[in-house]
Amino acid sequence: MRAQTLFALLYAVVSITAIAQEGFFADLTGYKALADSGIPASVVANAFPNVGAYVLEYTPTLTKSKVAERRALLCTEPSARAWNAEDCATLEQVHCTTDDACEVKLHGYCTGVFAEGVFITARHCARTKQEAPLRARFIDAHGLPHDIVLRATAFTEHQLPYDIALFEAASAPAPGVPIRRDEPGVDEIVFGIGFPGLAARDTFQLAYGPPRGTPAMVFGRVIDPNKDNRSICNFANQTDDWKRGWKWSKTCNGEADTSKEEREERGPLLADADMINGMSGSPLFDREGRLVGIGSNTLVFDALNYDATKPAVYVKAKRILELLKK
């Protein structure tokens, strides 16, 4: 198989035409391509090797026709097949019952990033119980998938009101990205990298191909840096309508069981970069390539009901530094 180098991957991103739109949606009016964003190509090149997919196992029941569709999607094109090798092996040997029900062990992804010697993703991703060894999938210098084993830490599953999880990595995929110490300003240009999920692709008919080890890039601006660290339920620039149907609506109404995931998110920042299913845990960078946030959610009920007008919620990068000091 012809290897796709990181240079070729970067070239493909940088070569987006000047009329390319923000994020995943071909018809969405948004920011121009990387060349017009003011972000140096070298900054993106340095960030890419540190962004990985946090691998999740799940076992859906599919019809025979759905198995065939999924196999065609994941296993036809060589680079896609390399990224989805385990799933392709399963889909090609799946056994279905007579009632056209096929139970298949497949893999989904959140996103994460390597920084300060740890792998960081969203806590709600780390809460998903996995039978297989914990791992993250990166793209190596030849453009091929490379798995790194992860080990849980005291801050993988915790009771703090921050949707981030820290793992030890058996090896370093790259030198790691720097974490920004100060907070970004309003309207500051940012970019994110992540691995959108199949469900989101099907739901939104997004303008990008099947998962093949090529992460999607999103561009945006900081909408509210939240420098006074307001809780998620107290953003003055948001109306109350989103609270009634949002993931943490019970928290905002004072009804949450704070021992569970519905605890209130404390002091996040908001950006208008796209955030959809699979982008949980995705890093948000400033134009110098410094980590400023970790993707958590959007101000909608769930990521599959994506609304491009709603800001994305990011845990501030300084929370990572606080945890590392403990």
Side-chain angles (χ1 to χ4, degrees):
M1 182 183 69
R2 183 177 63 182
Q4 181 185 31
T5 65
L6 284 175
F7 174 80
L9 176 62
L10 176 63
Y11 179 81
V13 174
V14 176
S15 299
I16 300 172
T17 64
I19 60 171
Q21 304 299 322
E22 177 190 11
F24 317 112
F25 297 84
D27 60 350
L28 178 67
T29 301
Y31 296 92
K32 292 184 179 181
L34 177 63
D36 293 339
S37 69
I39 301 170
S42 59
V43 168
V44 182
N46 290 334
F48 261 122
N50 296 285
V51 181
Y54 180 65
V55 182
L56 303 170
E57 287 189 351
Y58 68 109
T59 308
T61 299
L62 305 175
T63 64
K64 291 180 181 178
S65 62
K66 285 295 184 181
V67 168
E69 289 177 13
R70 188 65 60 90
R71 186 167 58 239
L73 178 66
L74 301 181
C75 311
T76 301
E77 197 272 331
S79 60
R81 187 178 182 87
W83 182 260
N84 300 289
E86 294 168 287
D87 288 357
C88 292
T90 299
L91 290 166
E92 289 166 356
Q93 301 177 19
V94 64
H95 297 287
C96 303
T97 63
T98 54
D99 59 355
D100 199 27
C102 313
E103 191 171 275
V104 190
K105 181 178 286 187
L106 297 174
H107 297 85
Y109 307 98
C110 285
T111 304
V113 65
F114 188 73
E116 300 284 337
V118 295
F119 180 77
I120 308 127
T121 187
R123 185 190 59 211
H124 69 262
C125 297
R127 283 175 171 268
T128 305
K129 301 299 182 183
Q130 302 294 305
E131 295 181 4
L134 301 174
R135 56 199 167 117
R137 182 164 299 163
F138 294 85
I139 306 168
D140 68 17
H142 303 288
L144 300 176
H146 172 59
D147 284 6
I148 291 178
V149 174
L150 304 175
R151 293 184 291 269
T153 71
F155 298 112
T156 299
E157 293 190 53
H158 54 79
Q159 298 300 314
L160 299 172
Y162 311 128
D163 191 15
I164 51 174
L166 275 56
F167 292 87
E168 293 180 350
S171 60
V177 297
I179 297 178
R180 180 165 167 171
R181 263 56 181 177
D182 63 331
E183 298 188 7
V186 176
D187 284 337
E188 188 168 329
I189 292 176
V190 288
F191 73 96
I193 304 173
F195 295 84
L198 278 170
R201 299 165 196 268
D202 294 340
T203 302
F204 302 123
Q205 299 180 344
L206 307 186
Y208 56 92
R212 62 188 64 193
T214 303
M217 288 187 63
V218 296
F219 301 91
R221 294 179 184 270
V222 173
I223 299 299
D224 189 341
N226 193 15
K227 292 189 177 182
D228 54 355
N229 290 316
R230 285 163 292 139
S231 66
I232 193 63
C233 300
N234 293 295
F235 278 95
N237 61 344
Q238 301 297 323
T239 59
D240 287 338
D241 61 340
W242 63 269
K243 295 180 183 178
R244 287 191 287 271
W246 191 50
K247 178 178 179 181
W248 281 294
S249 60
K250 289 185 177 180
T251 297
C252 294
N253 294 329
E255 304 170 3
D257 178 354
T258 55
S259 67
K260 298 181 179 179
E261 189 181 339
E262 289 78 12
R263 69 177 61 83
E264 187 174 356
E265 187 73 40
R266 300 287 174 82
L269 65 84
L270 301 184
D272 64 355
D274 290 333
M275 172 73 67
I276 62 174
N277 182 267
M279 296 286 285
S280 294
S282 59
L284 189 71
F285 301 102
D286 64 14
R287 69 174 71 201
E288 295 181 28
R290 296 175 298 179
L291 184 65
V292 297
I294 295 294
S296 176
N297 212 304
T298 59
L299 296 186
V300 291
F301 179 66
D302 61 55
L304 293 182
N305 291 324
Y306 181 77
D307 182 345
T309 67
K310 299 293 186 181
V313 179
Y314 288 86
V315 180
K316 293 182 181 182
K318 72 176 186 179
R319 302 301 181 201
I320 301 167
L321 298 173
E322 291 171 3
L323 295 184
L324 289 174
K325 291 178 181 178
K326 292 182 180 293

